[in-house]
Amino acid sequence: MSTRTTRDWQTADTSHHLHPFTDFKSLAAKGTRVIVKGDGIYLWDSDGEKILDAMSGLWCVNVGYGRQELIDAATAQLKQLPFYNSFFQTTTPPAIELAELLAEVTPPQFRHVFFSGSGSEGNDTVVRMVRRYWDVLGQPERQIIISRNNAYHGSTMAGASLGGMGGMHAQGGLPIPGIVHIEQPFWFEHGQAMTRDEFGLRAARWLDEKIREIGPAKVAAFIGEPVQGAGGVIVPPDTYWPEVQRICDEHGILLVSDEVICGFGRTGQWFGCETFGFRPDLMTFAKGVTSGYIPLGGVMVGERIAKVLIDQGGEFNHGYTYSGHPVACAVALANIRVVQKEGLVERVRDELGPALAERFAELAEHPLVGEAQTCGAMGALQLVRNKAKSESFASELEVGMVCRGHCFGNGLIMRAVGDRMIVAPPLVMTLEQVDEMAGLIKRCLDLTLKDVKQRGWM
Ligand code: PMP
């Protein structure tokens, strides 16, 4: 164990380490929090403070920290064969076995997988693959991929282009050509004049209108997260996805479900598309496939596409050094077996999800909360200035960040997306721990309310 103090760590960090999605100068002024240990749903920092991790790391540590099964799988594979690739007519047993197991746990249209190292890379593969599919079918003019504002699909050039984050597009000349965006199915922001179900159908029709505007023969695919995660846990109305499916079918375009967050039980089914009732042609995954213990991502390739690429496609000029990394695949196998053995998907559906929904319904009564939403093991609280009128705070007040600051100070990791406070706890969180988390959230909301009133913002 290192003997460096927190101050030492912070100084060295500031001197050499550029963090993701960070204003480097302001982080240097505040100092990083250094996380040194994890166990179950808890983390400890370098000052010995215990923290309840209500975000599962970054939506990924689904089986909790410190699982021996995953550690043993990694150790054994590192000793046996730490690396070999799947290029040039070779592969490794863990990659084969994981491909087999993924074909078993994913919906029936999926029998093949293409591995990547992350969710962003998986979505780069999606872009390459859908365009290749249409090329092979003799329709090379089908290039355009439709996505949504406030979507998150990663941070590579293609991932950030598919995403609908203005701040990301503004840096680096994005989106790349051939990617367009429609409005998101966010009822609180865009649909309050309608019922949720009416709005769901309206939001799906934005897709139909965009396809007709472009010309259906030019559209390759539509991509979406079943529930937008990084966008703020935006749970779409029940009517949305079935209508999106109908529209994609009508125009013959491919449907891609980005399951990087929703996959592997987060929504109470194995995959978010099963919770929301649609049948994607491609499915991106990462995070929960290994519970984040080691990087791994990939794309499940539906038979409609796999058949064309296999029978007629010739060489697919795409792949990564770490596609099918044997240690990552061994950890994924161990992780998925834990999910199966402990019935974690059913647990989210029958126990954790309902408990979270109940606690969030109580938190919805709080004067600061304008809307509470949950889906399986994720939830969001929309902070508002005027509850009766659903009136938001001015965005420059950054009330979400004030609340996040209180979470930070009270041993709770909760994320702020604008003024939307979100959680996505490990799927192994017990019911007592749900209560503990809800108690901490309540305390932080109270502290935020006090601040907001003191500053005259409410
Ligand atoms: N897609 C979705 C839906 C995500 O939430 C994320 C990451 N939060 C990604 C893609 C990108 O994954 P990665 O960070 O592993 O590249």
Side-chain angles (χ1 to χ4, degrees), residues 72-211:
D72 289 345
T75 310
Q77 188 58 43
L78 281 164
K79 285 188 184 155
Q80 174 73 26
L81 177 72
F83 178 75
Y84 202 71
N85 69 65
S86 295
F87 291 45
F88 318 129
Q89 217 185 329
T90 59
T91 190
T92 62
I96 299 170
E97 283 188 15
L98 179 60
E100 253 178 340
L101 184 57
L102 288 170
E104 184 189 315
V105 301
T106 53
Q109 69 270 31
F110 295 114
R111 304 199 47 74
H112 291 87
V113 62
F114 194 101
F115 288 119
S116 67
S118 68
S120 301
E121 286 180 3
N123 282 326
D124 276 49
T125 298
V126 162
V127 173
R128 301 285 305 276
M129 202 175 264
V130 300
R131 290 180 173 167
R132 178 72 191 141
Y133 168 81
W134 290 114
D135 277 352
V136 173
L137 281 184
Q139 299 185 48
E141 68 286 1
R142 279 204 191 251
Q143 287 283 307
I144 295 176
I145 302 174
I146 303 176
S147 181
R148 302 173 303 176
N149 294 341
N150 198 35
Y152 190 83
H153 296 296
S155 196
T156 51
M157 296 293 273
S161 297
L162 290 172
M165 304 289 180
M168 292 173 78
H169 292 173
Q171 297 177 352
L174 302 178
I176 57 171
I179 295 176
V180 301
H181 298 82
I182 58 172
E183 197 46 88
Q184 58 178 330
F186 186 10
W187 178 81
F188 187 84
E189 194 149 310
H190 306 292
Q192 289 202 37
M194 291 171 246
T195 66
R196 276 184 65 84
D197 281 354
E198 282 165 359
F199 173 67
L201 294 175
R202 179 71 204 90
R205 266 182 233 119
W206 287 326
L207 173 61
D208 188 63
E209 286 160 17
K210 184 55 89 179
I211 294 170

Side-chain angles (χ1 to χ4, degrees), residues 57-70:
L58 208 45
W59 322 82
C60 51
V61 188
N62 290 0
V63 298
Y65 297 96
R67 298 298 301 244
Q68 199 57 45
E69 300 92 326
L70 278 63

Side-chain angles (χ1 to χ4, degrees), residues 332-355:
L333 281 165
N335 173 64
I336 294 172
R337 286 179 188 137
V338 167
V339 173
Q340 288 178 316
K341 195 169 83 204
E342 298 183 2
L344 292 181
V345 179
E346 297 73 21
R347 185 169 183 267
V348 172
R349 186 189 64 205
D350 300 334
E351 196 175 293
L352 178 57

Side-chain angles (χ1 to χ4, degrees), residues 21 58-59 117-123 151-156 159 223-231 258-262 284-287 295-297 415:
F21 286 96
L58 208 45
W59 322 82
S118 68
S120 301
E121 286 180 3
N123 282 326
Y152 190 83
H153 296 296
S155 196
T156 51
I223 184 169
E225 307 151 75
V227 173
Q228 289 156 255
D258 184 339
E259 300 268 356
V260 168
I261 285 177
C262 292
T284 320
F285 63 88
K287 299 191 188 275
L296 178 71
R415 184 160 156 185

